[in-house]
Amino acid sequence: MGIKNNRLSEEVLAHNFSDIHPPFEHAEGAILEANRCINCYDAPCTKSCPTSIDVPLFIKQIASHNIKGSARTIFSANIMGAGCSKVCPVEKLCEGACVYNLREEEPIAIAKLQRYSTELAVHNKWKLFDRKPSTGKKVAVVGAGPAGLACAHALSLQGIDVTVFEKEEKGGGLMTYGVAAYKVTPKSCEDEVDYITSIGGIDIQYKKELGKDVSIAELQKKYDAIFLGIGVGVARELNIPGEELDGVVDAISFIYDLRTNKYAKISVGDKVAVIGMGMTAIDAATQSKRLGAKEVTMIYRRTENEKPCTDVELDLAKLDGCSFVWLAAPKEIIGEGGKAKKLVCSKMKLGEPDASGRRAPVDTGETFTMDVDMVIKAAGQIPFEDLVTKTSLKNNGGKISISSIGETNLKGVFAGGDAVNGGKEVVDAVQAGKDAAKGILSYLGIK
């Protein structure tokens, strides 16, 4: 059959892409789960959260039927708490730190409880914060992703007038355009952005891209400070022969198309190979299966022990019927009539640890070949190096360099999130936005 769209009926696609982590059906379920929490002193769940949400407190508030208070506790620390409750790898953060794990019992369903409170707040449009009167100061935020929105909200709370410049048609960044559709829907992303901006003082201007429609020099003339939350998004190339063939796509574009079109319109192959084993690779592989691909094989150059994805994500790919080839790296894609037909891989072995602390893959000289009609590249993302370099920002391979308060080498220009760290979790980007807002307030002399 080759690569084609509309493989499955709309009913099957709707089922395949339905909410993978459904919420509590009844309030009683949330109350019962909340009452399991023993309210640890110096709680490890809170310490493991990059935004330091007071987990025991918000759970206790749910248990005592104070849902508004619970939502306020969450949003005070993480204004994107609704979205993070669906996409955070909680198994290695809050839930992974839950003391119940030490007793070999199920950890408290922290994410599900967080979703319970925050979704009620967003759905009912609860006004949980009051914005201070305008100070007359203006700040430009570039990027309406998690870092930019968190920064904008924190600044607006203190009376700063914020204008956000976003290159896409919608806000939310990675949440809207780069996460598996069965984790968070476009509608919930849109509702979350609307809720964040409902505080007032935040104007988002869409289809405004840095380097094309706006420049740092122009913004410096009009605003008292600037925050850059441009993220990353350039797919890492494989740099192998045949990469230009039809049927070879990058995971970022593949997921973007899924997030912006009807599922039936997305083309997928019969035999799909996904290169990589990170979260994005898992999302690409599982969604390929859910679109109707017959075979999906994930290829990773190290062993399962060194995989960057979590066990939960790997199990999801296994349940979806994906297969795995460990200790293999793509060497060449062979085509026929301009279309990808075979993938040649090098067999690898593990050598000494590299800079990441993991044992480095070493080519054994042996190869194997597999039939494919689609290859999805998910070997990581790299920063917007060309864009960053043109702006005179000090950087390290495209990752923007900042001071301890988040300021770049350009006076009054701050940065944070993936644009600085090269790519972490959504919750890390939120905290980076909060930190930058604190730095900007200090720079503007506002306490």
Side-chain angles (χ1 to χ4, degrees), residues 129-440:
F129 303 98
D130 291 315
R131 181 176 185 252
K132 291 182 178 179
S134 177
T135 62
K137 297 290 186 180
K138 299 189 299 180
V139 172
V141 170
V142 182
L149 289 172
C151 183
H153 188 269
L155 291 172
S156 182
L157 270 176
Q158 301 305 315
I160 307 295
D161 296 319
V162 182
T163 302
V164 182
F165 298 90
E166 168 55 46
K167 67 178 182 178
E168 300 289 352
E169 294 181 347
K170 296 180 180 180
L174 177 70
M175 295 285 291
T176 300
Y177 294 103
V179 176
Y182 52 73
K183 293 179 180 176
V184 55
T185 66
K187 179 64 167 62
S188 64
C189 290
E190 186 175 349
D191 289 345
E192 186 167 35
V193 173
D194 289 344
Y195 186 72
I196 291 169
T197 57
S198 67
I199 189 175
I202 303 173
D203 173 39
I204 303 182
Q205 296 189 14
Y206 295 106
K207 305 297 287 184
K208 298 290 184 181
E209 184 174 353
L210 183 66
K212 291 184 180 180
D213 306 297
V214 293
S215 69
I216 290 178
E218 292 170 345
L219 296 177
Q220 284 178 308
K221 294 176 183 178
K222 299 178 181 178
Y223 296 90
D224 298 298
I226 301 168
F227 173 73
L228 302 175
I230 59 176
V232 292
V234 181
R236 191 183 302 278
E237 298 290 341
L238 299 177
N239 294 317
I240 61 174
E243 197 167 355
E244 75 290 344
L245 291 166
D246 285 347
V248 182
V249 300
D250 70 79
I252 300 169
S253 299
F254 179 68
I255 295 173
Y256 182 94
D257 287 344
L258 261 166
R259 299 288 293 183
T260 54
N261 292 284
K262 291 184 177 180
Y263 304 132
K265 291 185 177 181
I266 307 302
S267 297
V268 70
D270 275 332
K271 297 182 178 182
V272 180
V274 178
I275 312 301
M277 201 61 68
M279 297 296 203
T280 301
I282 296 287
D283 283 355
T286 54
Q287 290 184 115
S288 294
K289 259 295 188 179
R290 291 168 187 239
L291 285 169
K294 292 181 179 178
E295 298 177 14
V296 175
T297 305
M298 300 192 69
I299 297 168
Y300 185 53
R301 59 184 182 160
R302 291 183 168 97
T303 73
E304 183 175 344
N305 291 332
E306 291 81 31
K307 68 185 186 303
C309 70
T310 65
D311 288 339
V312 170
E313 293 288 317
L314 184 66
D315 288 344
L316 177 61
K318 290 178 179 178
L319 288 170
D320 275 1
C322 299
S323 57
F324 309 87
V325 178
W326 308 98
L327 290 172
K331 183 178 182 179
E332 181 182 3
I333 303 169
I334 299 173
E336 183 180 304
K339 298 180 179 180
K341 290 297 179 182
K342 293 182 182 294
L343 175 64
V344 181
C345 293
S346 297
K347 293 183 179 181
M348 314 298 282
K349 65 179 181 180
L350 294 182
E352 295 299 316
D354 60 14
S356 71
R358 298 173 296 171
R359 294 176 65 188
V362 178
D363 195 334
T364 65
E366 297 181 67
T367 64
F368 66 91
T369 302
M370 55 188 294
D371 293 332
V372 298
D373 53 18
M374 187 174 189
V375 177
I376 301 178
K377 302 179 291 183
Q381 301 175 39
I382 57 177
F384 298 106
E385 187 170 4
D386 290 344
L387 171 62
V388 170
T389 302
K390 289 177 183 177
T391 60
S392 302
L393 288 162
K394 185 178 179 181
N395 66 92
N396 179 18
K399 292 189 290 186
I400 302 172
S401 302
I402 59 173
S403 69
S404 59
I405 64 167
E407 190 173 19
T408 70
N409 60 301
L410 303 180
K411 186 174 176 60
V413 180
F414 295 71
D418 289 354
V420 171
N421 60 42
K424 289 187 177 181
E425 306 296 343
V426 171
V427 67
D428 293 292
V430 172
Q431 185 58 42
K434 288 167 53 184
D435 291 341
K438 186 177 180 181
I440 291 171

Side-chain angles (χ1 to χ4, degrees), residues 1-66:
M1 291 172 64
I3 298 176
K4 60 174 291 187
N5 59 12
N6 204 27
R7 285 177 171 270
L8 305 174
S9 68
E10 289 191 7
E11 291 77 16
V12 172
L13 287 169
H15 175 267
N16 288 354
F17 286 90
S18 61
D19 196 335
I20 195 170
H21 298 301
F24 288 106
E25 292 186 7
H26 306 287
E28 289 79 5
I31 303 299
L32 283 171
E33 181 63 18
N35 276 297
R36 288 183 61 224
C37 180
I38 59 175
N39 297 299
C40 299
Y41 173 76
D42 197 23
C45 49
T46 292
K47 293 167 71 174
S48 69
C49 175
T51 58
S52 301
I53 294 174
D54 191 334
V55 178
L57 175 58
F58 94 69
I59 291 179
K60 185 176 182 180
Q61 288 169 316
I62 292 175
S64 60
H65 301 266
N66 181 9

